Amino acid sequence: MKAVVVGYGAMGKIISSMLEDEFLLPVSIECEHKSLDDVKEDFDVIIDFSNPANLDMIYNYCKKTKKPVVFATTGYSDEQLAKIEDLANYAPVLRSANFSLGVILLNRLVKEITPILKNDFDIEITEAHHHNKVDAPSGTAKMLLKSVTDATNFTPIYGRSGYCPRKPQEVGVHAIRGGSIVGEHEIMYCGEDEIITLKHSAHSKKIFAVGAIKAAKWLVDKQIGYYDMEDVLFGE
């Protein structure tokens, strides 16, 4: 696989080191290639691990060239997410809020058990990340929340302060920021006299690179359309 990685921060450098035996070009303001239009070499797929500000560049390039693109960036606005979905009308597009294979399996478990427990258990989602993370709640927490609300129509409550008794049909969402935490996500199902907890802990950023590379290799020969990591893992 010949890949171009947009972004040369921590994740871009990890992917570059993992793909050193395969053709790879980084695109960022720190590199020789400052935009996708600067890349003259042939390649198979784009992996975006940068920031939402690069979306227009990627959108315009892929709409024109039909190149497959893996979006691993978080923090998009609703308008930007709609633009990514629109791009899938012109090129193969794969987006996920998290590329950890364990998190994708966790989300599948949430989809399976929430319909069973929703009438008898209160549901709370907690996420924790390093103190440099700028968006909250995390994209992964939003993904897990969507799986819960799709199954329940519960109302999200973001944090609690003051006098706020818990109401039926709520799902709490809480964000913690501190130190060098790579990523922690927990879903608690709190029933009468029992608690079920689903939790994923990331111990290094390498797991996200592994998933993004797996997604890119899967995407290179796919038809135009919109895909996610469940398609990669479960063939859906």
Side-chain angles (χ1 to χ4, degrees):
M1 178 185 69
K2 298 179 180 180
V4 164
V5 174
V6 178
Y8 203 55
M11 288 307 306
K13 290 173 182 174
I14 291 172
I15 290 180
S16 296
S17 67
M18 293 177 66
L19 290 176
E20 61 183 2
D21 295 331
E22 300 181 69
F23 184 87
L24 177 140
L25 289 169
V27 171
S28 78
I29 59 173
E30 298 91 354
C31 301
E32 176 184 352
H33 301 91
K34 302 189 185 307
S35 78
L36 288 166
D37 287 324
D38 293 335
V39 179
K40 305 306 178 187
E41 297 87 345
D42 188 28
F43 64 91
D44 301 310
V45 63
I46 298 164
I47 304 174
D48 174 41
F49 253 119
S50 58
N51 63 72
N54 286 318
L55 177 58
D56 286 346
M57 174 189 68
I58 298 169
Y59 176 91
N60 293 332
Y61 182 86
C62 292
K63 184 176 180 180
K64 174 179 61 178
T65 64
K66 316 300 183 187
K67 287 289 187 182
V69 56
V70 173
F71 285 102
T73 297
T74 60
Y76 290 114
S77 66
D78 290 341
E79 292 77 11
Q80 288 175 315
L81 291 175
K83 195 165 191 175
I84 291 173
E85 291 186 9
D86 179 69
L87 181 57
N89 294 311
Y90 306 97
V93 169
L94 190 150
R95 179 187 170 269
S96 179
N98 193 303
F99 280 84
S100 158
L101 305 184
V103 164
I104 303 306
L105 291 170
L106 174 68
N107 192 47
R108 172 55 70 97
L109 290 174
V110 170
K111 291 180 178 181
E112 291 289 336
I113 72 172
T114 298
I116 301 170
L117 301 178
K118 64 181 182 180
N119 294 325
D120 301 300
F121 287 73
D122 297 324
I123 306 172
E124 298 282 306
I125 299 171
T126 302
E127 58 96 344
H129 285 84
H130 53 87
H131 56 213
N132 291 322
K133 185 170 178 62
V134 296
D135 57 311
S138 68
T140 302
K142 292 178 181 178
M143 176 179 70
L144 297 170
L145 174 63
K146 184 177 186 303
S147 294
V148 170
T149 56
D150 283 351
T152 63
N153 289 319
F154 286 1
T155 301
I157 302 296
Y158 296 94
R160 292 190 176 89
S161 179
Y163 183 77
C164 50
R166 196 183 204 285
K167 299 177 182 178
Q169 298 187 336
E170 289 182 353
V171 51
V173 186
H174 313 278
I176 297 168
R177 295 291 176 267
S180 59
I181 302 170
V182 176
E184 305 273 344
H185 293 89
E186 183 175 27
I187 305 93
M188 296 179 66
Y189 296 85
C190 305
E192 192 70 28
D193 299 323
E194 61 181 335
I195 298 173
I196 300 170
T197 300
L198 300 177
K199 183 176 181 179
H200 179 271
S201 298
H203 294 166
S204 91
K205 292 182 178 180
K206 183 178 179 181
I207 63 172
F208 309 125
V210 169
I213 292 171
K214 184 179 183 71
K217 290 182 176 179
W218 180 89
L219 188 64
V220 290
D221 60 354
K222 293 299 180 290
Q223 298 294 317
I224 290 171
Y226 190 92
Y227 305 94
D228 60 24
M229 282 301 288
E230 291 204 11
D231 296 317
V232 177
L233 295 189
F234 307 119
E236 299 173 346

